[in-house]
Amino acid sequence: MDTILTLQDVSWKRDGRNILSGIDWKMKKGEHWGILGLNGSGKTSILNIVLGYHFPSEGSVTVLDHRFGESYLPDLRKEIGFVSSSLNRFSHIIEYESIEEIIVSGKFASFGIYEEVAKADWDKADDLIERFRLEKLKGKPYHQLSQGERRRVLIARSLMNDPKLLILDEPCTGLDILSREQVLALTKEIDRNNCSIIYVTHHIEELVEDITHVLLLNDGKIVAAGPKEKVLKDDLLSEAFQLPVSVHWKEKRPWLSVAQHAEVNS
């Protein structure tokens, strides 16, 4: 499989209003994409289409060789890992579970363990704990972890099923700068898992070196899509963010500055 996903001329409407319009996007194996844009730009809607929770109003979608309209989409979701700050809504279910139990539950795509776990699965969870440098947290219940530690545990959990695609939906929301950098550093471990990444964010500084491509959105349309260095340009970012900005690079990582006297439309 050389192509991870293809969205061709995709539009999606809700309550008669265009949320996405004319989306053409192809993601190939070996690429890691960032999706960047303001609130309401269409980022979440694209994720919901990729995950099969929304069908496009127009256009065609193929994800991991599953063509929408011809495939059983619950099978597709088993091949996709998903991590988001929205998963905090399950915290009450797992607050007293250890990190080992939480990570191994990813094998069954459940929060909580409701069936027998094979020794090989516990061994795999231990390997992920080591790779993600979580050894000091072994045996700790979830409610005692910091927000950054919780996010790292959930990312490790998402890899238990060896997904072909991992979606990280604003995984650094609510984290302090140290916790954010610890989470961003995990992209190298994810890449080692032979897993493609979609990383959704508002903040270009989170598009670390391992993110190779960017899909830049504004008002449900693509402003630009392609290699990171070609998309993260002053004019394109200014169009997407609706105010004059400039980008500078440091150690292969982009940073954004707003023009000193930029006029902000309310």
Side-chain angles (χ1 to χ4, degrees):
M1 178 174 55
D2 295 327
T3 302
I4 299 298
L5 62 83
T6 302
L7 276 61
Q8 186 172 3
D9 198 22
V10 165
S11 297
W12 184 65
K13 296 181 180 181
R14 182 177 60 196
D15 300 328
R17 186 169 67 92
N18 285 328
I19 307 299
L20 298 173
S21 301
I23 301 295
D24 285 308
W25 178 31
K26 179 177 285 188
M27 178 179 181
K28 295 182 179 179
K29 187 175 182 180
E31 298 174 349
H32 300 309
W33 281 74
I35 301 182
L36 187 66
L38 297 173
N39 286 337
S41 62
K43 302 188 301 296
T44 299
S45 298
I46 285 180
L47 291 190
N48 283 330
I49 286 177
V50 170
L51 287 162
Y53 293 124
H54 292 329
F55 264 68
S57 305
E58 298 176 9
S60 63
V61 178
T62 303
V63 181
L64 299 176
D65 288 339
H66 294 262
R67 184 176 176 84
F68 285 25
E70 301 175 4
S71 300
Y72 183 60
L73 295 184
D75 286 342
L76 163 67
R77 295 184 198 116
K78 294 176 183 177
E79 301 179 52
I80 301 176
F82 179 69
V83 176
S84 169
S85 57
S86 67
L87 295 178
N88 289 339
R89 67 185 186 274
F90 297 108
S91 295
H92 68 285
I93 299 174
I94 58 176
E95 60 179 337
Y96 293 106
E97 292 188 354
S98 68
I99 71 162
E100 302 97 295
E101 292 169 324
I102 293 166
I103 291 172
V104 85
S105 73
K107 173 73 175 181
F108 311 103
S110 64
F111 282 96
I113 300 173
Y114 306 103
E115 49 194 293
E116 188 174 349
V117 181
K119 182 180 183 301
D121 292 327
W122 288 116
D123 290 343
K124 184 172 184 177
D126 282 339
D127 178 62
L128 287 166
I129 287 169
E130 182 178 347
R131 284 172 54 192
F132 282 71
R133 298 181 292 280
L134 296 166
E135 298 97 323
K136 292 182 179 179
L137 302 179
K138 285 190 73 171
K140 266 195 170 186
Y142 190 72
H143 72 91
Q144 292 184 4
L145 306 183
S146 69
Q147 287 298 324
E149 290 167 344
R150 292 182 182 192
R151 217 64 54 86
R152 287 159 57 201
V153 167
L154 292 177
I155 293 173
R157 174 187 175 275
S158 71
L159 297 178
M160 269 298 297
N161 251 350
D162 294 320
K164 297 174 183 174
L165 174 64
L166 176 60
I167 295 174
L168 299 174
D169 182 18
E170 300 185 23
C172 295
T173 297
L175 301 186
D176 61 34
I177 188 169
L178 174 60
S179 298
R180 182 190 72 172
E181 294 304 307
Q182 289 172 335
V183 167
L184 293 175
L186 299 181
T187 54
K188 292 187 183 297
E189 283 299 328
I190 297 168
D191 186 53
R192 277 181 50 195
N193 221 60
N194 195 29
C195 177
S196 298
I197 299 170
I198 295 177
Y199 188 100
V200 181
T201 184
H202 301 95
H203 307 290
I204 71 168
E205 68 271 15
E206 293 180 11
L207 301 177
V208 293
E209 182 179 356
D210 299 278
I211 302 299
T212 60
H213 290 66
V214 171
L215 183 69
L216 186 60
L217 299 172
N218 178 38
D219 195 25
K221 300 176 183 177
I222 294 177
V223 175
K228 181 168 60 177
E229 292 78 7
K230 293 185 178 181
V231 172
L232 298 182
K233 299 290 190 180
D234 294 357
D235 57 339
L236 297 174
L237 289 167
S238 296
E239 179 181 350
F241 291 141
Q242 301 176 30
L243 79 169
V245 298
S246 59
V247 63
H248 61 279
W249 296 80
K250 187 173 182 180
E251 297 180 357
K252 299 183 179 180
R253 187 168 169 182
W255 299 84
L256 196 70
S257 299
V258 178
Q260 186 174 0
H261 300 293
E263 183 175 329
V264 180
N265 296 321
S266 56

